[in-house]
Amino acid sequence: MTKKYTTVAYLGPPSSYTHQAALTRFNPDEHLLKPQPSIADVFKAVQSAAVDYGVVPFENSTHGSVIPTLELLADREHQLSGIYVCDEAYLDIHHCLIGHRIPISSAPQPSGSVSAASSYTNDHSTLPALTTSLDFRHIRHVYSHPQAIGQCEAFLNRYLRKSAQRHEVSSTSKAAEIVAQDEEGTSAAISSEVAAQTQGLDILARSIEDRDDNTTRFLVLRNRNDQSQGHTARSVVAGNEVRYWKTLVSFTIDQRSPGTLVDVLKVFERWHLRFTGMNSRPSWKAPWHYVQFVELGGRMEQDPEKLVQRARLDLTKVTQDWRCLGSWRSRANIRY
């Protein structure tokens, strides 16, 4: 009898940071992990029930929110109403510059380039000095996800600001895939050591991120309409002793009326709900009108004190519309 695996979509290709984050939550012996070409494709797979779960990047401790994920959570055209956040994962991100190693003696010498033969020391963190006997002057193109590029500005500006053109792609593992196909060896990717091993590329420099505490948070999605997954992924979090829960809500307000946002925040204060994060995206309903995203400490289901339930009733009175986008166990080491 063929075993039926729980399916999980993630931003690919394989070896992406999202893939690595997914592996921290889903045992590959018990789950079938399916790479997707974009974050939007992960959302679509979950919405259509083509998969049981999806994993997407949400925010980075250095470079902030992952805008494509927020855009999809905004769901302005009401095409993704089934999306529900049921878990999260944190992954320490240590970027490598990967590509093809070319000895200094044979490397092209474009004007204005900087040798990397000396030590590289990250001025913004406590990272140890990065030493290399290589020269990066053969690199004409650097590929990566825009988040990864933003997390490595100090390194890029010091060594590759003049000699290499930056190219944004859908994921860091896609960048590694592109570089592996470069027969001239003049391309490099900001990606992971795992991606370098997968694509057979050399690691030209390690730990090139601006901060050594660089961390990305990922969200686990399920379809709220799939009753078989109504347990909010307990099979994923089983055995975890994390005590606190988070709930993500989105809402819009009448911004022409003074104090409306304050009124919303007072609802959370009234019901003793910890405020742990806030984002916003344009609503497209009118210029300068926004969808607000708020993360709260609290649980939507099985809420013994009914704090979230009571806040829901009050939110209806002070917002134009609002939605609950998910409730899950906090995986953060920091307690708010």
Side-chain angles (χ1 to χ4, degrees):
M1 182 177 178
T2 303
K3 181 178 180 180
K4 186 180 185 302
Y5 287 91
T6 300
T7 52
V8 183
Y10 67 89
L11 175 62
S15 77
S16 67
Y17 288 115
T18 309
H19 185 200
Q20 295 174 50
L23 290 172
T24 69
R25 290 291 166 264
F26 298 94
N27 185 335
D29 294 331
E30 300 174 358
H31 302 85
L32 181 61
L33 274 62
K34 296 186 173 184
Q36 305 295 315
S38 70
I39 294 174
D41 287 303
V42 176
F43 272 74
K44 290 175 184 177
V46 174
Q47 173 66 30
S48 66
V51 297
D52 299 302
Y53 296 101
V55 182
V56 294
F58 184 60
E59 65 176 342
N60 176 264
S61 60
T62 301
H63 203 59
S65 301
V66 178
I67 300 303
T69 299
L70 282 178
E71 287 286 297
L72 291 157
L73 288 171
D75 191 24
R76 302 180 186 91
E77 298 179 357
H78 309 291
Q79 300 295 312
L80 298 167
S81 60
I83 297 297
Y84 191 87
V85 183
C86 63
D87 200 0
E88 67 181 5
Y90 289 82
L91 189 69
D92 292 337
I93 306 294
H94 299 297
H95 295 297
C96 298
L97 185 71
I98 65 176
H100 302 280
R101 183 177 288 116
I102 296 179
I104 294 176
S105 59
S106 62
Q109 306 293 317
S111 60
S113 60
V114 179
S115 171
S118 60
S119 297
Y120 168 72
T121 304
N122 192 314
D123 296 328
H124 306 293
S125 72
T126 56
L127 286 177
L130 180 153
T131 58
T132 176
S133 60
L134 295 174
D135 194 310
F136 300 142
R137 284 178 287 184
H138 66 288
I139 297 174
R140 302 284 205 277
H141 304 277
V142 175
Y143 295 87
S144 200
H145 187 277
Q147 275 274 343
I149 292 173
Q151 294 162 29
C152 301
E153 284 289 347
F155 178 87
L156 292 173
N157 288 337
R158 178 165 181 175
Y159 292 116
L160 296 164
R161 180 171 62 87
K162 295 182 178 180
S163 60
Q165 182 178 356
R166 302 178 190 182
H167 304 272
E168 296 182 354
V169 296
S170 60
S171 71
T172 55
S173 57
K174 182 63 177 179
E177 194 175 82
I178 292 170
V179 171
Q181 297 170 357
D182 177 17
E183 297 180 355
E184 295 183 359
T186 59
S187 299
I190 299 173
S191 195
S192 66
E193 182 174 355
V194 174
Q197 295 170 350
T198 300
Q199 297 295 337
L201 294 170
D202 299 315
I203 296 178
L204 308 181
R206 297 177 184 271
S207 298
I208 65 173
E209 63 277 0
D210 291 346
R211 294 182 57 89
D212 66 341
D213 59 357
N214 192 40
T215 305
T216 295
R217 179 160 66 119
F218 301 81
L219 299 181
V220 179
L221 313 175
R222 67 167 175 85
N223 192 312
R224 72 172 77 225
N225 300 316
D226 186 350
Q227 296 303 314
S228 66
Q229 303 301 333
H231 57 338
T232 59
R234 286 179 189 165
S235 61
V236 182
V237 301
N240 193 291
E241 296 180 357
V242 176
R243 299 178 182 179
Y244 300 97
W245 283 69
K246 296 178 182 177
T247 293
L248 177 64
V249 299
S250 68
F251 59 87
T252 60
I253 56 176
D254 184 354
Q255 295 174 202
R256 298 168 298 179
S257 178
T260 50
L261 182 56
V262 174
D263 291 339
V264 174
L265 299 181
K266 284 182 177 178
V267 170
F268 305 141
E269 179 186 25
R270 183 180 307 127
W271 297 112
H272 309 289
L273 297 172
R274 300 184 316 276
F275 182 87
T276 62
M278 187 170 187
N279 281 289
S280 66
R281 297 302 300 158
S283 70
W284 295 0
K285 292 181 178 180
W288 321 122
H289 186 262
Y290 294 89
V291 179
Q292 308 288 345
F293 298 91
V294 171
E295 273 188 69
L296 306 167
R299 185 174 182 178
M300 183 61 69
E301 302 94 353
Q302 300 179 30
D303 177 16
E305 299 180 28
K306 305 296 182 184
L307 298 180
V308 176
Q309 300 293 336
R310 293 169 181 170
R312 291 173 64 180
L313 295 175
D314 286 353
L315 281 176
T316 303
K317 302 173 185 176
V318 295
T319 63
Q320 292 176 324
D321 57 69
W322 74 274
R323 292 190 301 144
C324 176
L325 298 174
S327 193
W328 66 94
R329 287 183 184 270
S330 172
R331 301 279 185 174
N333 292 325
I334 299 174
R335 298 292 175 228
Y336 296 94

